[in-house]
Amino acid sequence: MIDRRLRVVLAEDSVVLRDGMVELLGARGCEVVATAGTAPELLATVVEHRPDVAVVDIRMPPTQTDEGIRAAVEIRARTPEVGIVVFSQHVETTWASRLLADGAAGIGYLLKERVARTSEFVDALYRVADGGTALDPEIVTQLMRGGRRSRVDTLTPREREVLELMAQGHSNRSIAALLVVSERAVEKHVAAVFTKFGLRATDTDNRRVKAVLTYLAENGGRSSVTDASGARR
């Protein structure tokens, strides 16, 4: 399924956790080209190695507050070709919104305690490195909370449900299984979302990504993620 070795920079201030992740990622076919224990080290290693993806914890020395995600925002601005996966036990919506402000392509935000298998984490890394997105459902919920809706209000409850599952990274087949409906029914709901959001088919645009960005952009101007591994539609 994966035919290349992913180059990763890993930022984690816990030496034990960092070493463990290096070993696990290596066993899954990834190459950790550098590690960092502080935000300045992270920025320097990304510039030096230009990895496919940088894995970043939010809280890093010296203050253990938001240094990691602030560095992620800076990486996004300096080297937008580098995928970023925030991997933390904390939800930081303010900086997450800034990280996603220019679009969700190549961005992930996963919660450590909710990643059940290493394979899921590695799949997310590859997806983000390929320009897709991966966001924990809890992050989606936090970013959506308290916002306004406009075009979203035109969606039926089922269309909204389908779109929310798209935002979590599910393919049409996966959504069909979760909702216990046919894949054809899901395709019709997705097509209706595209129509209501005014998203036209082109050879280059990924409407799944744009639909989710539209969805969350109308919730207080915030952005989110989707799974760009699905077919371009």
Side-chain angles (χ1 to χ4, degrees):
M1 181 177 65
I2 295 172
D3 58 2
R4 76 181 194 281
R5 192 167 178 82
L6 196 70
R7 300 177 68 254
V8 180
V9 162
L10 175 62
E12 168 62 58
D13 65 302
S14 168
V15 175
V16 173
L17 182 56
R18 186 168 68 229
D19 289 348
M21 289 182 68
V22 169
E23 184 175 348
L24 287 172
L25 291 175
R28 290 284 181 172
C30 299
E31 179 187 1
V32 179
V33 296
T35 62
T38 67
E41 288 177 2
L42 168 61
L43 294 171
T45 54
V46 167
V47 170
E48 178 182 355
H49 295 279
R50 297 297 173 112
D52 298 308
V53 62
V55 179
V56 184
D57 194 4
I58 287 180
R59 300 185 178 181
M60 302 185 72
T63 68
Q64 294 290 347
T65 54
D66 58 4
E67 284 91 342
I69 197 166
R70 289 167 65 100
V73 171
E74 191 167 346
I75 291 169
R76 180 72 157 172
R78 290 183 180 182
T79 53
E81 72 278 7
V82 175
I84 298 170
V85 173
V86 177
F87 189 49
S88 179
Q89 59 186 353
H90 307 287
V91 179
E92 218 301 332
T93 55
T94 300
W95 281 97
S97 296
R98 292 188 60 176
L99 180 62
L100 296 162
D102 293 328
I107 296 292
Y109 196 139
L110 303 175
L111 297 178
K112 291 178 178 178
E113 68 271 20
R114 288 165 63 98
V115 175
R117 294 187 296 272
T118 305
S119 60
E120 294 177 354
F121 180 62
V122 173
D123 286 346
L125 294 185
Y126 274 91
R127 188 160 69 246
V128 168
D130 286 338
T133 50
L135 195 65
D136 186 279
E138 177 62 22
I139 306 299
V140 176
T141 299
Q142 292 290 338
L143 290 174
M144 287 169 51
R145 187 166 294 165
R148 299 180 305 162
R149 297 178 181 176
S150 53
R151 282 173 290 184
V152 173
D153 290 330
T154 68
L155 301 181
T156 66
R158 178 64 87 183
E159 288 164 358
R160 185 175 299 179
E161 192 172 15
V162 167
L163 184 52
E164 288 173 352
L165 289 170
M166 286 168 57
Q168 295 172 22
H170 292 283
S171 65
N172 285 359
R173 179 176 298 180
S174 176
I175 293 171
L178 289 169
L179 299 182
V180 195
V181 298
S182 69
E183 191 169 348
R184 179 58 180 161
V186 173
E187 290 172 356
K188 289 181 178 179
H189 291 310
V190 172
V193 171
F194 292 159
T195 298
K196 291 178 179 181
F197 282 8
L199 299 174
R200 299 178 180 178
T202 71
D203 292 333
T204 58
D205 289 341
N206 189 321
R207 292 192 291 172
R208 294 179 76 88
V209 172
K210 289 189 175 182
V212 174
L213 292 178
T214 300
Y215 179 38
L216 294 177
E218 295 186 357
N219 286 273
R222 300 178 178 91
S223 299
S224 183
V225 316
T226 187
D227 179 0
S229 63
R232 290 185 180 276
R233 307 184 66 88

